[in-house]
Amino acid sequence: MQPLIDVTDLERLLRRDPPTLLDVRWRLGGPPGRAAYERGHLPGAVFVDLDHDLAAPPGPQGRHPLPSPRDFQDAMRRAGVSADRTVVVYDDADSTAAGRAWWTLRYFGHTRVRVLDGGYHAWVNAGLPVSTDVPDVRPGDFVARPGGMPLLDADGAAALAKTGVLLDARSAERYRGENEPVDPVAGHIPGAVSAPTTGNVGVDGRFLPPAVLRDRFGKLGATDAVDVGVYCGSGVTAAHEVLALTVAGIPAALYVGSWSNWISDPTNPVATGEL
């Protein structure tokens, strides 16, 4: 199944075979996503909280570690997710949070997950209806089975930076260690390549065409002929980059703990500046 769906195809799908719609609007340091959901959302969409439903509490494993299979399963069942029904996830526009939802559902075994390209803004700009009604959700029967997507830990990320391609999805300034607004240590994993996730989308928040993405990643050394991994600050924007790589036809593993996990071990080396 193609990972992206546009507003035209989603509107058609909603009339023919309605998917489970998950609203995952979220922004680091911004207003709570639920407030945006309550002001208006796609009809029938259920709000999913990235911090509480798509991640475990922060700690040494990172700021957004994976939730336990049971916790994730319970959250998705409450949202109405079932294995035999397509799930479409969306956020405001650029799919940063939706990418994390897509990846987490895929990792825990759901094979029919799509991301609304351009998100809520694309839906509204197309003149399609929104709602403030909270749907009466019929609980789903989703069973969380880990292992559906490749995963890296700190040791695996360090090794991949030497033997394959490890992409750093944060801003170039954070990669170089010039600015670190979130984590207590600045810099990057030695050998990692800077690949800011903002380069995956256009000004409208929609993903660049597959051929353009493939060319972008190819220039960074990431192709389907080498092992590729991605990390960021806490495993959110890196999931977006894995989604972009998937659109480009390049499989990639995610280091979920990312930089916030890497620096929890003071013996892990830190690099600054350019590669």
Side-chain angles (χ1 to χ4, degrees):
M1 177 174 287
Q2 292 295 318
L4 302 181
I5 186 170
D6 63 23
V7 293
T8 300
D9 287 342
L10 177 57
E11 195 273 337
R12 187 181 300 119
L13 184 62
L14 286 167
R15 287 187 278 108
R16 186 181 72 245
D17 184 20
T20 301
L21 282 176
L22 302 183
D23 183 312
V24 201
R25 279 179 281 180
W26 171 91
R27 187 171 69 224
L28 179 65
R34 183 173 289 278
Y37 172 83
E38 291 173 350
R39 288 193 298 269
H41 50 263
L42 273 63
V46 178
F47 179 70
V48 170
D49 190 310
L50 186 151
D51 290 317
H52 297 99
D53 298 328
L54 304 179
Q61 294 303 310
R63 282 185 282 108
H64 288 105
L66 272 177
S68 71
R70 181 56 184 268
D71 286 347
F72 183 71
Q73 176 177 292
D74 289 348
M76 292 303 99
R77 287 187 175 189
R78 288 194 300 269
V81 174
S82 293
D84 61 352
R85 188 179 182 191
T86 298
V87 178
V88 175
V89 297
Y90 70 90
D91 55 28
D92 273 324
D94 66 4
S95 300
T96 296
R100 170 71 180 223
W102 168 84
W103 187 91
T104 310
L105 279 159
R106 290 294 312 278
Y107 174 77
F108 282 112
H110 204 301
T111 59
R112 299 172 60 184
V113 189
R114 306 186 76 177
V115 173
L116 176 59
D117 198 14
Y120 182 76
H121 291 173
W123 182 266
V124 171
N125 290 340
L128 294 167
V130 298
S131 174
T132 57
D133 295 335
V134 177
D136 184 13
V137 179
R138 179 179 179 180
D141 62 6
F142 174 68
V143 176
R145 297 185 176 91
M149 295 287 279
L151 193 64
L152 292 173
D153 59 11
D155 289 341
L160 190 59
K162 298 175 181 177
T163 63
V165 176
L166 181 66
L167 300 178
D168 185 320
R170 299 172 302 163
S171 69
E173 293 80 10
R174 290 182 72 187
Y175 169 86
R176 292 192 297 264
E178 298 168 355
N179 177 39
E180 181 45 70
V182 184
D183 293 305
V185 178
H188 61 267
I189 297 174
V193 178
S194 180
T197 194
T198 51
N200 298 329
V201 297
V203 294
D204 59 357
R206 298 188 63 181
F207 281 91
L208 300 176
V212 176
L213 288 171
R214 191 171 182 85
D215 181 66
R216 180 199 184 211
F217 291 124
K219 290 177 179 176
L220 297 172
T223 70
D224 56 6
V226 298
D227 291 330
V228 179
V230 189
Y231 76 97
C232 59
S234 69
V236 175
T237 56
H240 177 281
E241 190 121 298
V242 172
L243 174 57
L245 285 155
T246 301
V247 171
I250 303 169
L254 175 65
Y255 177 17
V256 174
S258 284
W259 186 246
S260 56
N261 168 246
W262 180 266
I263 60 173
S264 69
D265 182 349
T267 66
N268 283 333
V270 171
T272 57
E274 301 290 351
L275 178 66

